[in-house]
Amino acid sequence: MKLTKAIALSLAALIAAGAIAGCGDQKKEAKAPADKKEITVGITSGYSEQVMEFVAKKAEKEGLKVNLKAFGDYVTPDAALAAGEIDLNSYQHGPYLEAYNEKNGTKLISIGNTYLAPLRIYSNKYKDLKDVPDGARVSIPNDPSNGGRALLLLDKQGLLKLKEGTDPTKAVVGDIAENPKHLEILELEAPQLPRSLDDVAISVINAGYAKAASLDTKTALATEDNTSPYVNIIAAREQDKENPTYQKFVKIFQSEDVKKYINDNFSDGLVPAF
């Protein structure tokens, strides 16, 4: 009886050990702790950084320390977020995030709107779009969503015409149906666009990089209007969408104090979207 009992106990131990090992093989997406008192938010230069510095000061008064991590392009903030190197990021609009997820197989989501940062057309050579000559070079962002956004703005200004039915969030140069001025479209990294102004007739530049390059929005030849779907967002990993610390951060961002700060300091460039 004692031997039988010992064997039974040994078998039970082995089964339990196997069950534990089996659980170890099941990968689960790690969630951020719900009671975090300190977070890191990814940003880019320009409006994103300046607004977030104000938000961080307000958050600290409410018991949440916000560390800002600046990135020099539009790709690495999402890569860092997906990898868990930062907690949130705030620099992009919804269509860009969707395109990033589709290309990279990531599951990043929006947990709150921030503001619309309109694209604008700038030039160091011309004062009016009517003066842009035949065969002129035009620089636009090379990422999928902002590139389509730029083409849509050029379409609305009558400089070219996209194929009927083109999804503006996915438009590419190949979707141009009519190009009456035979414009040469140059697709560049967004941070390079302000530096391209001496080499092109016009450039379609994102608000943040225009701000970082000290471009005067009053000199812009055209501005994206409020019908744009490109509202900027706060992004998180999908498994953290209900994290109360992150939700608290969104609430702090979407406060009247922050809205007033944006309106008082960036009325020429940003439109609060909350």
Side-chain angles (χ1 to χ4, degrees):
M1 290 292 291
K2 290 183 179 179
L3 179 60
T4 302
K5 186 176 181 180
I7 293 172
L9 289 172
S10 296
L11 286 172
L14 286 171
I15 291 169
I20 292 170
C23 289
D25 290 336
Q26 296 176 3
K27 294 182 179 179
K28 294 183 178 180
E29 291 180 315
K31 291 186 178 181
D35 58 347
K36 297 182 71 171
K37 301 297 183 185
E38 184 173 343
I39 63 173
T40 299
V41 180
I43 53 169
T44 52
S45 60
Y47 292 119
S48 171
E49 185 171 18
Q50 290 176 285
V51 172
M52 199 56 70
E53 286 175 348
F54 179 83
V55 175
K57 290 177 182 177
K58 179 174 174 60
E60 190 162 10
K61 293 177 182 177
E62 298 188 28
L64 177 62
K65 181 173 176 55
V66 178
N67 300 307
L68 303 182
K69 184 171 183 179
F71 294 88
D73 61 75
Y74 284 162
V75 177
T76 49
D78 277 338
L81 179 59
E85 296 170 6
I86 57 177
D87 298 297
L88 305 168
N89 68 41
S90 179
Y91 74 100
Q92 65 191 320
H93 50 64
Y96 181 90
L97 181 63
E98 291 174 10
Y100 182 88
N101 282 331
E102 185 175 340
K103 181 178 180 180
N104 296 280
T106 48
K107 294 182 179 180
L108 305 179
I109 62 167
S110 167
I111 59 171
N113 289 344
T114 57
Y115 47 74
L116 173 66
L119 279 183
R120 290 181 170 85
I121 299 177
Y122 292 90
S123 176
N124 281 352
K125 301 175 181 178
Y126 304 102
K127 301 295 184 182
D128 195 304
L129 290 178
K130 295 178 181 178
D131 298 329
V132 175
D134 189 86
R137 304 172 82 198
V138 178
S139 58
I140 67 172
N142 71 349
D143 61 90
S145 58
N146 282 310
R149 185 182 177 188
L151 292 172
L152 182 62
L153 179 56
L154 293 172
D155 181 311
K156 286 191 173 184
Q157 296 303 314
L159 291 170
L160 52 80
K161 187 172 180 59
L162 295 173
K163 295 175 184 176
E164 190 172 347
T166 298
D167 183 343
T169 66
K170 297 181 179 179
V172 296
V173 173
D175 290 320
I176 297 175
E178 297 176 24
N179 186 359
K181 287 198 171 188
H182 307 98
L183 301 176
E184 180 185 352
I185 308 297
L186 304 178
E187 298 175 275
L188 304 177
E189 293 286 341
Q192 297 177 15
L193 292 169
R195 296 195 293 270
S196 76
L197 282 170
D198 288 335
D199 301 315
V200 300
I202 57 175
S203 181
V204 186
I205 304 177
N206 299 79
Y209 289 118
K211 177 70 174 179
S214 299
L215 297 180
D216 185 353
T217 57
K218 294 177 183 177
T219 67
L221 306 187
T223 300
E224 191 175 25
D225 62 32
N226 59 9
T227 63
S228 171
Y230 295 92
V231 170
N232 279 25
I233 59 170
I234 297 169
R237 292 177 290 278
E238 185 178 51
Q239 64 267 28
D240 292 329
K241 62 183 178 181
E242 302 297 337
N243 184 290
T245 302
Y246 299 167
Q247 291 298 326
K248 177 181 179 179
F249 175 77
V250 171
K251 186 175 180 180
I252 292 170
F253 194 110
Q254 296 180 341
S255 65
E256 288 302 312
D257 287 346
V258 174
K259 180 180 287 187
K260 184 177 186 304
Y261 175 77
I262 292 173
N263 286 331
D264 288 349
N265 294 277
F266 307 109
S267 59
D268 62 336
L270 300 180
V271 180
F274 53 87

